[in-house]
Amino acid sequence: MTHLSALHSPTMFNTTFIRPAKFYLGGFSNIPHIRYFYIFLCFVYIVTVLGNGFLLSVIWLVKTLHTPKYMIVFNMALTDLCGSTALIPKVLDTFLFDRRYIVYEACLSYMFFVIFFASVQSWTLVTMAYDRLIAICLPLRYHNIVTETSITAILLFVWCFFVSAIATMVGLLNRLSFCSSLVINSFFCDHGPVYRLACNDISINQNLASAIVSIILIIPLAFIVATYICISIAVSRTAFREERLRALKTCTSHLILVAIFFLPWTGTNVAAVTSYIHPNARMINSALTHTIPPLLNPIIYALKTEEVTNAIKKLCKRHYFSNKKKGKT
């Protein structure tokens, strides 16, 4: 791509430091009919907005759902909505309308928001696991431990921590000099493909990226696994089969969310470390990992959680009777 040299118009702080005016998003290469994949992502985004918007509305409007547990679900729906909005519209604009050049500062902002909301989603699942752990292992103390104040504090800490951590990770890209290729081998401004374009020392960026991956993937998954080991032990000590089934039933929605969020991420990272993975395969998997969980999460909670289905029925009845009264008047 010789025409990319025109993009450099670099800001030079000295003779060795070059900051490009723009990057070029390479995206997928040599995949026939790839436009259908982008149209599929458009459909995914529309359903994600409708599903998460509906779940947020139900939790907001039905007072019986104003509990610590559903504060966590509300946070999940909100981050799903924001994460999809940060990623998908820009992907569609970039590749459907062939606007692959992205201003340097816009690229860093894009990167921050996509990674930030994925991080919050991960630790929201951890908070859900904590809620289930206390509910099943310490049921008599649940309402004293899992309070609105404690859940607000946990979620607020998660948001503040990741604002700082991801801002630091993205901000450290400003110390890099981009003096050769400006083609990002990804479908968005992903952190790894960007810092690997630099021609000065990237060891700090690599180390911080490894730490953030551990915080987003390895530590949360380890905590959730440990949580369910404790839950399994507690459930196995329950004498009555009906109680065991009831306890496990309250965990099914969360376990499905954990599986659809962590398994693709873990699979991609393990494949990248242990063997070669084709860039197209990595990007498709990454795109689906970012977009499918936010699509499925509200569907899973709306269909598999009894409190939510009852709340939806209440709202429908309330709407029906209010319309009936208006019709009579």
Side-chain angles (χ1 to χ4, degrees):
M1 289 205 172
T2 54
H3 64 288
L4 285 176
S5 58
L7 281 181
H8 264 293
S9 304
T11 302
M12 298 189 65
F13 294 100
N14 54 48
T15 53
T16 60
F17 188 92
I18 299 173
R19 177 179 295 169
K22 295 178 181 179
F23 284 112
Y24 183 89
L25 289 164
F28 303 102
S29 59
N30 301 320
I31 298 181
H33 311 298
I34 190 63
R35 290 178 73 88
Y36 293 115
F37 179 69
Y38 300 127
I39 293 166
F40 166 73
L41 288 184
C42 182
F43 167 77
V44 166
Y45 180 64
I46 292 167
V47 178
T48 299
V49 170
L50 293 174
N52 284 287
F54 178 70
L55 184 57
L56 288 169
S57 302
V58 170
I59 296 171
W60 184 269
L61 293 171
V62 180
K63 288 185 179 179
T64 55
L65 296 181
H66 293 183
T67 62
K69 177 185 174 181
Y70 284 97
M71 284 174 64
I72 305 170
V73 177
F74 188 92
N75 186 75
M76 174 63 82
L78 182 62
T79 52
D80 283 346
L81 186 59
C82 293
S84 294
T85 300
L87 179 67
I88 299 177
K90 183 60 182 170
V91 168
L92 298 178
D93 180 64
T94 300
F95 297 106
L96 275 180
F97 301 103
D98 200 24
R99 295 170 181 159
R100 297 193 181 207
Y101 297 107
I102 182 167
V103 175
Y104 176 85
E105 291 79 8
C107 185
L108 297 195
S109 299
Y110 188 16
M111 181 190 303
F112 170 82
F113 285 110
V114 172
I115 300 173
F116 168 71
F117 286 117
S119 307
V120 176
Q121 286 167 358
S122 173
W123 277 87
T124 303
L125 289 170
V126 172
T127 313
M128 285 181 175
Y130 166 73
D131 172 79
R132 292 298 84 209
L133 176 70
I134 304 300
I136 293 169
C137 297
L138 300 168
L140 298 178
R141 297 181 59 195
Y142 176 80
H143 293 292
N144 294 326
I145 298 173
V146 182
T147 62
E148 289 185 13
T149 304
S150 66
I151 294 300
T152 301
I154 291 169
L155 295 176
L156 195 58
F157 173 79
V158 168
W159 280 71
C160 292
F161 174 81
F162 281 112
V163 164
S164 305
I166 306 303
T168 301
M169 185 179 78
V170 173
L172 282 172
L173 293 173
N174 285 315
R175 57 177 285 282
L176 300 179
S177 180
F178 299 91
C179 52
S180 54
S181 175
L182 299 176
V183 181
I184 299 172
N185 293 316
S186 186
F187 64 100
F188 78 105
C189 288
D190 201 355
H191 182 254
V194 170
Y195 78 68
R196 290 189 192 99
L197 296 176
C199 30
N200 56 342
D201 181 30
I202 60 170
S203 57
I204 293 174
N205 304 82
Q206 283 180 319
N207 293 336
L208 189 56
S210 298
I212 294 293
V213 167
S214 297
I215 294 168
I216 296 173
L217 290 179
I218 299 170
I219 296 173
L221 194 54
F223 183 90
I224 291 169
V225 169
T227 296
Y228 276 101
I229 290 171
C230 294
I231 288 172
S232 300
I233 293 168
V235 168
S236 67
R237 289 174 180 168
T238 306
F240 300 105
R241 184 172 176 272
E242 292 78 11
E243 286 185 20
R244 287 201 295 270
L245 291 173
R246 198 182 308 123
L248 291 172
K249 192 179 177 183
T250 64
C251 299
T252 53
S253 295
H254 179 250
L255 284 169
I256 294 168
L257 300 189
V258 169
I260 63 176
F261 183 86
F262 283 104
L263 289 181
W265 279 113
T266 306
T268 304
N269 282 282
V270 168
V273 171
T274 57
S275 62
Y276 172 76
I277 180 169
H278 193 279
N280 285 341
R282 177 183 59 79
M283 282 186 274
I284 288 175
N285 188 70
S286 181
L288 294 177
T289 302
H290 275 286
T291 56
I292 297 302
L295 168 73
L296 296 179
N297 290 351
I299 297 169
I300 291 165
Y301 257 92
L303 297 179
K304 289 200 66 73
T305 310
E306 195 175 338
E307 296 105 313
V308 176
T309 52
N310 289 338
I312 293 168
K313 287 173 186 174
K314 276 185 188 176
L315 277 180
C316 291
K317 282 180 184 176
R318 192 189 304 172
H319 182 70
Y320 172 75
F321 285 118
S322 64
N323 283 345
K324 210 170 183 182
K325 283 181 183 177
K326 284 179 185 176
K328 285 181 180 179
T329 55

